Amino acid sequence: MSTAILDSAPTGVLELRGIHQLYGTGDAQVHALRGIDLSVAAGEYLAIMGPSGSGKSTLMNLLGCLDVASSGKYSLAGHDVNEMDEKALARVRNKEIGFIFQSFNLVNRMTAVANAELPLVYGGVRRLERRQRALEALEMVNLSHRADHLPQALSGGQQQRVAIARALVTNPTLLLADEPTGNLDSESTHEILAIFDQLAAAGRTIVIITHEEEVAARAHRVLSISDGLIVSDRTNPRRTLR
Amino acid sequence: MRLIDILQSALRGVTSNKLRSVLTLLGVLIGVASVILLMAVGNGSAAKIRAAITSLGTNTITVRANGGSSTTGSSAITLAVSKQLEAAGLGHVTNVVPQATTSLTVSSAGASEDAISIIGTSADYFTVSTATVASGSAFTADDVASAAKVAVIGSTLATELFPSASALGQSISIDGTPFTVVGILATQSSVGFTDPNTEVIAPISRIQRSYTGFGAVSSLLVQAKDSDSVTAAEGEVTVELNQLLGVSSTAATSASASGSGRTSGLASQVSATSPFTVTDQSSLLQTQAESADSFTALLAAVAAISLLVGGIGVTNVMLVTVTERTREIGIRKALGATRGAILGQFLAEAATLTLVGGILGVIIALVLAQYPFNGTQPVVIGYSIPLALGVSVAIGVFFGVYPAARAAGMRPIQALRSI
Ligand SMILES: Nc1ncnc2c1ncn2[C@@H]1O[C@H](COP(=O)(O)OP(=O)(O)OP(=O)(O)O)[C@@H](O)[C@H]1O
Ligand SMILES: [Mg+2]
């Protein structure tokens, strides 16, 4: 572990310094992130807002270790992500992070419970325990009665709940959700936000991207991004980190 | 990721897309089966010729009289010439057997067979040729001396003439003259055009007296000391016969000179002026065996092409699958799958498909090889099984794993975005 990280204060679960992300080359080059400095403390519930194309998903993919920044420093729970090898990154994705995608990203030919089990398969958990924990996770999102359905037999809201169950099944310290309610009706949105509230109350660190004020209103802290830069960072007076 | 989970997800991959699996399986199956079968057919025909060579005996030489006026002139090969040749004490020759052949009607009390080949020969015939007496006994030198009316007949002829009882001791009529059957030959494999199992073999003295006359004999069967001295024996026989028959020395020289060209595949020593031809049949068959071997090689090439085509089919299916499933690879990576786990899954999948297809192909080939193909019994070549299996599995596994390896090496977000 480098001393620079230990020296940098304040130390959060997520520490980003001077993050730039460039896509493409030449005339087609897009500067998606232009210098992001961000610190997220343990147990914080953070909402990221901003217009379409402002770089929210780009940032989220970096946080989830699904992509690598062009430049800048990112450390996760004190570990420099740039210095992690392929195996270590896979471990972090598996054990530390639960990622919820805007487009669900379920494996279509696997049942709800098999999808929810998938992270445990890569975590080397035994079959019986795996099934048990996946069912518990589905129970949490009120979907145990659909455990043996394939994704195409589920509604959008139900699919997103399977994806949430999958993100929760490993008990990750960090939950990242990219517009989890973007495709859902208001009822499903409420159900899912209620789950997030519970998780936040239980002390999980949550980062959520949203376009909806209603969703952002539940977070402890709201970040606004525009054109690859953080333009505002305010704490929610009604809901603060205890 | 645990091994059992890798296998289970591979099995799920195989069963979840049945059409793809069946196509892959078929490609491998057909490739493997055709390689093994085609090589077996080629090998079978070569084996048939090799069997014919050994049944002929590898150390016999045939001296055939060239037709025309010489058969009656001073240069005819008569029984006397045959005896002189044997008495000459040639170093590489152990036996000289004269053969006077004709073709006649042979009948028993109940049956009659036309155009049966009758061989008049000496008692040594049974030691020189590969014909063996299965029941009864061969005729003796005494029988030959006394021109006895005895005959040894082929097994097929024996059952044709005497369908209900043993032919042994029975009387047969050759063109009206009665002969006693003293022996029946063991069944032999057929070489060339005549079926050795329908022949009649009798003392040459009797055949000459009753049918062919005492002039030239048809051929001499010369036994060389061993298969290595066949060439030397050919030379000796040529020189000695030229001398005995008073053929000019130039003709004799040219005949024996061409005799040294045995390895070139040219089995006969033919000279325009020579009254006889020395034939080494085993070398003739050798060239046949060589052409059978090249036939096998040709079939193997055809088989290799079919294996390749099958392999391309498998490759195609695998490539499409992996492209289709790159997104799935992205999802799995995002959930914490390592490169190794992804590779393991695709490797197990490809290996399962190609191995099952390959083993089915082997089984089908082994079953089909039980049945003769175009008159030839296929003989499976042992190494063709691991060869065909190995190549097809290698192709399937390589093209199943290689694109997956590429996808597994991507960042999760790249794989997720790819479709
Ligand atoms: N793989 C890529 N290649 C090239 N450009 C990209 C790529 N991914 C994103 N971009 C660009 O980067 C910018 C930021 O994209 P990003 O997906 O982060 O936006 P966003 O804020 O999530 O938008 P939305 O609210 O519509 O989801 C956009 O201009 C986009 O075109
Ligand atoms: Mg986005």
Side-chain angles (χ1 to χ4, degrees), chain A residues 23 61 66-68 86 90 93-94 101 103 105-106 109-110 118-119 121-122 124 126-127 130 166, chain B residues 1-2 5 8 12-13 16 325 327-328 331-339 341 411-413 416-417:
Chain A
Y23 291 117
N61 292 337
L66 303 183
D67 206 351
V68 179
E86 208 268 334
R93 289 179 204 126
N94 187 247
F101 299 89
S103 53
N105 276 338
L106 299 177
R109 53 196 175 74
M110 286 165 52
L118 213 44
V121 171
Y122 294 114
R126 288 181 167 279
R127 213 181 154 75
R130 220 158 67 196
R166 184 178 66 182
Chain B
M1 194 181 188
R2 295 145 53 85
D5 294 323
Q8 207 201 355
R12 190 184 284 132
S16 68
R325 288 171 68 185
R327 186 186 169 83
E328 181 189 322
I331 295 174
R332 289 174 183 271
K333 286 208 72 170
L335 298 179
T338 57
R339 230 189 118 137
R411 292 179 211 153
I413 206 72
L416 276 171
R417 278 215 193 95

